[in-house]
Amino acid sequence: RKILSSTDRRQLDEGPGALLTHRVDTFLERHATGRIRARCAGLTTSKVRARRRLARIGAEPTAEAGDVAEDLAVLASAIRRAGYEGLAEQLLAAYALAADDYALYGVVDFYECLVLCERAVDAKARAGRAWLSPWLAAQGRFATPRPTLVLLIGRVASGKSTLAKGLVRRLAAPRVVADRVRNAVLDPVAEVAGHEAALDRAWSDAFDERVYTGVLKRAEAVLASGRPCMIDACSPTRKARGQVAEMASHVGADLMLCTCLASDDRTTSRLQAREQRSGAEEGSWTHIARDLDALFEDVGAEEPGHHVSVRTDAPLKETVGDVLMALGRSRPPAALVRREGALPRAVT
């Protein structure tokens, strides 16, 4: 605080400061499960006291690899400092999806702040402000009172996933995919009973409840960090959509229900392609799609959130543009910062 200007101090207190203070609890929870390294983000002392709770860094054995979120925070910090805020967020979103670790959003800002504070203190005075000020200025998500949750709904093979990927590239927002959560739940079943038995059980009421609970938990972790999020799920019933709306209201997020529509011919071709990719028996996905169609309830005007429908038969660029236009003022911060010179080709 001594090296920050009065404006930076006020911005820290009113924006990320309050959020980061709350994130200490998540940090201590990860420490309790052995995920924190003995030397974490510059914390070299053996004890850390936060919010009247004490953590002894290095007092208990920890996993050799430690918390990957710390490494991501360091890398994201370097990318932000280079002026590519959107790319930093895309990195976090890609990792969360690939590793199914959306809980990292509970600590990544905390880690990043620790790293920058350590370097700012070492640099002193003006050079220290040069470390912290760009990070504070770049945190547009902290200044946004309410993050946006986009729920992409529609029948099986209606183009939800393709649209979600296009939006991710434009908004740098993480997406939670119901099919991936479903596969995580079904993997143990498939190992014992086989793929076909697992596929039949995948759409039962009991499994649906477990899947949606997992989807909501992941999305809530993202929204709680102040970031926008997308959920890619059929959500055929008003009950399922009501659960999403309840969670969004709980974390103080705006909700958009985006219904994806496609012609019967396009849907049929997509179902056939999905069967070929998954190695499922011919007609199995068509059977699942038919069963879900019988359950599907159109979005009613009384349902919470902003409602919009898009045709996924149209070119992807056009469909993404329609969603961005519908987001309007609720649209999350711009993803990519365009600068002169070449963008990074890869992060390894």
Side-chain angles (χ1 to χ4, degrees):
R1 293 182 63 87
K2 292 181 179 179
I3 65 174
L4 291 175
S5 67
S6 58
T7 301
D8 285 340
R9 287 200 301 270
R10 184 170 60 253
Q11 189 175 3
L12 180 64
D13 291 337
E14 296 175 355
L19 181 63
L20 291 171
T21 300
H22 180 68
R23 290 291 170 264
V24 170
D25 287 342
T26 309
F27 169 77
L28 295 179
E29 290 171 3
R30 287 204 167 200
H31 179 269
T33 58
R35 297 189 65 177
I36 307 302
R37 295 186 179 96
R39 185 183 187 278
C40 170
L43 298 178
T44 55
T45 57
S46 60
K47 300 179 183 179
V48 175
R49 186 179 299 276
R51 297 185 69 171
R52 301 182 181 180
R53 294 170 62 186
L54 181 66
R56 297 179 180 275
I57 304 299
E60 300 294 336
T62 58
E64 181 179 351
D67 195 349
V68 178
E70 179 186 344
D71 298 320
L72 286 169
V74 174
L75 186 52
S77 174
I79 295 174
R80 287 188 219 280
R81 185 166 170 77
Y84 302 107
E85 167 72 11
L87 290 180
E89 288 301 313
Q90 285 180 336
L91 170 67
L92 299 179
Y95 176 81
L97 179 65
D100 195 27
D101 183 14
Y102 294 85
L104 76 91
Y105 283 104
V107 291
V108 69
D109 295 316
F110 176 77
Y111 283 137
E112 192 169 343
C113 187
L114 283 180
V115 170
L116 289 172
C117 284
E118 177 190 21
R119 294 175 180 175
V121 170
D122 290 342
K124 307 293 184 184
R126 182 179 301 177
R129 287 196 296 273
W131 277 103
L132 278 173
S133 296
W135 182 76
L136 290 171
Q139 304 307 295
R141 58 184 179 276
F142 294 118
T144 303
R146 297 172 65 88
T148 302
L149 172 62
V150 179
L151 175 60
L152 298 171
I153 63 178
R155 291 169 169 79
V156 177
S158 59
K160 300 183 300 298
S161 297
T162 301
L163 176 57
K165 293 173 184 177
L167 288 170
V168 163
R169 288 193 290 269
R170 291 293 301 275
L171 302 177
R175 61 188 177 106
V176 181
V177 183
D179 284 346
R180 292 203 176 203
V181 179
R182 193 181 304 277
N183 289 338
V185 175
L186 287 173
D187 278 347
V189 178
E191 290 180 4
V192 176
H195 177 79
E196 293 301 327
L199 195 60
D200 287 340
R201 195 174 301 184
W203 304 95
S204 66
D205 292 341
F207 268 87
D208 269 348
E209 193 65 31
R210 291 179 62 184
V211 169
Y212 271 89
T213 298
V215 167
L216 294 179
K217 181 179 179 181
R218 289 160 173 78
E220 184 175 4
V222 178
L223 295 170
S225 73
R227 291 169 171 86
C229 182
M230 281 177 289
I231 294 179
D232 173 2
C234 290
S235 304
T237 65
R238 293 188 176 95
K239 177 183 176 181
R241 298 191 291 267
Q243 292 175 334
V244 176
E246 183 178 350
M247 181 273 291
S249 176
H250 175 70
V251 297
D254 291 327
L255 175 64
M256 169 184 280
L257 302 182
C258 180
T259 303
C260 297
L261 305 172
S263 67
D264 292 340
D265 290 343
R266 181 64 65 87
T267 299
T268 299
S269 64
R270 288 170 177 168
L271 288 172
Q272 293 172 348
R274 182 174 297 190
E275 289 171 353
Q276 293 175 356
R277 289 197 305 269
S278 63
E281 183 180 347
E282 184 178 355
S284 58
W285 272 105
T286 301
H287 174 72
I288 291 173
R290 189 181 302 115
D291 289 344
L292 279 179
D293 283 348
L295 298 175
F296 200 89
E297 300 172 342
D298 292 334
V299 176
E302 74 283 357
E303 294 189 46
H306 178 56
H307 304 168
V308 62
S309 297
V310 294
R311 299 289 311 185
T312 59
D313 300 308
L316 179 59
K317 183 177 181 180
E318 180 180 328
T319 308
V320 170
D322 290 341
V323 177
L324 295 179
M325 184 178 298
L327 281 170
R329 293 186 177 181
S330 297
R331 179 178 173 180
L336 297 178
V337 179
R338 299 296 183 186
R339 299 183 60 192
E340 295 182 2
L343 285 168
R345 301 293 296 180
V347 175
T348 61

